[in-house]
Amino acid sequence: MAALLDLVQLRTFVTIADSGGFGRAASVLRTSQPTVSQHVRALERVVGQPLVERTGRGTRFTAAGEVLLAEARRLLAAHDEAMGRLGVERAATLTVGATEHAADQVLPELLTELRSAFPGHNMVFRLDRTTELAEATVRGTVDIALILGATATVTGVEVGSLPLRWFAAPGWAPPSSGNLLRLVAFQEPCSLRQQALRALEDAGWAVTITAEATNLDGILAGVRAGLGVALLPTTGSAPPGVEEIIELPGQGSVAVRLASRRGLDPRIVESARATLGKFFASLIPARTVLL
């Protein structure tokens, strides 16, 4: 008998893509990381090809993995639609979005609280840029999202704030005023990128962006490689391999906001707001988290 694709394993595979990694997928699915890895290995045995590959500290899908991901989404959608036609009710789904910066520290506590408050809901994790998450709440494809600052379409409810600090490789020193200063920044659109450019140019430097990335790991890799300085929201000590640069102009803090789609149950919004407010209040004396 030919090998068959398992729907449970396919759902795990899709969750890895949507949540941004094996560990986060395990948290969303309320299972262990070894179980997530076993599901991927089982799928690789079925298709006869590697589906993921290591990239430094992370992983990414191979070409075969990207093909399977698209097929998995179609198969799962068809399955769920068939179950609906058969009258089998599925638990309501709550889609929670966050910037990558917040995923490791904020979302585990938020998901635990929401699961306790709303046991009848399945939780789905989505990681993305602030602008993308804000637009998704407007479209209604994300229920609640943790974003940095406000956007043209969404302001949200402020639940905390994070200091903005400059980071560079050890030994890096800013050039004399009027000389070229190299900046590592997120790809556009990004309000922090624009703020960093304005601040440095106003202080008298000629600024050039020597590296840009779509995620935090990419930014930190560029900084560690000595490609330039980066402006990041943080309440903690410097990440490994970089150090804070205090000689550059102070940039205050950025608001952390909770955005929600129109028509969402107010109890869900209030539960998330209360959890996040308590979480950020606890960070004030601790200063242990990089977001």
Side-chain angles (χ1 to χ4, degrees):
M1 181 177 178
L4 300 175
L5 291 169
D6 183 281
L7 289 176
V8 173
Q9 294 167 359
L10 290 176
R11 206 173 292 279
T12 297
F13 196 67
V14 170
T15 303
I16 293 169
D18 291 343
S19 63
F22 282 57
R24 292 167 185 166
S27 176
V28 172
L29 296 169
R30 306 181 78 173
T31 188
S32 66
Q33 188 166 334
T35 297
V36 171
S37 298
Q38 289 169 8
H39 286 182
V40 172
R41 287 196 296 271
L43 290 171
E44 289 178 330
R45 288 194 294 271
V46 171
V47 301
Q49 299 182 68
L51 299 174
V52 295
E53 58 187 6
R54 290 285 179 184
T55 57
R57 296 185 301 167
T59 58
R60 67 182 178 189
F61 291 123
T62 63
E66 294 289 354
V67 172
L68 180 62
L69 178 61
E71 296 296 342
R73 292 190 191 280
R74 283 192 282 269
L75 287 169
L76 292 171
H79 170 269
D80 294 344
E81 290 169 5
M83 294 295 281
R85 289 192 294 271
L86 291 169
V88 179
E89 291 189 10
R90 296 186 65 214
T93 297
L94 183 66
T95 303
V96 182
T99 61
E100 181 193 22
H101 311 32
D104 290 330
Q105 297 293 335
V106 177
L107 280 181
E109 291 200 19
L110 177 59
L111 288 174
T112 297
E113 178 68 18
L114 290 176
R115 283 169 176 156
S116 176
F118 305 98
H121 287 70
N122 287 325
M123 299 292 168
V124 175
F125 215 174
R126 172 173 169 180
L127 301 182
D128 216 325
R129 307 275 301 275
T130 283
T131 51
E132 296 296 328
L133 291 172
E135 291 173 4
T137 61
V138 172
R139 293 193 303 268
T141 56
V142 166
D143 294 306
I144 57 175
L146 191 63
I147 63 176
L148 298 180
T151 72
T153 55
V154 171
T155 56
V157 178
E158 186 170 341
V159 292
S161 64
L162 296 171
L164 294 171
R165 298 159 64 192
W166 301 97
F167 293 98
W172 185 92
S176 301
S177 180
N179 290 328
L180 188 66
L181 189 150
R182 293 174 172 81
L183 179 68
V184 178
F186 287 98
Q187 290 182 359
E188 293 282 28
C190 177
S191 59
L192 287 183
R193 173 188 178 122
Q194 295 305 317
Q195 181 174 341
L197 284 169
R198 286 194 303 270
L200 296 173
E201 289 171 351
D202 289 347
W205 282 288
V207 183
T208 182
I209 295 177
T210 52
E212 57 181 16
T214 59
N215 55 56
L216 181 60
D217 282 345
I219 295 294
L220 291 175
V223 171
R224 291 189 187 103
L227 299 181
V229 66
L231 180 65
L232 296 172
T234 175
T235 62
S237 57
V242 304
E243 60 185 24
E244 184 178 2
I245 306 299
I246 61 174
E247 294 86 356
L248 298 180
Q251 295 302 298
S253 61
V254 60
V256 181
R257 297 179 180 273
L258 180 69
S260 59
R261 67 168 174 81
R262 186 186 299 275
L264 183 64
D265 186 339
R267 295 175 301 164
I268 295 176
V269 179
E270 177 55 29
S271 179
R273 186 204 61 75
T275 298
L276 289 166
K278 182 168 58 177
F279 176 84
F280 282 102
S282 72
L283 292 181
I284 295 174
R287 291 184 168 258
T288 57
V289 179
L290 174 74
L291 292 182

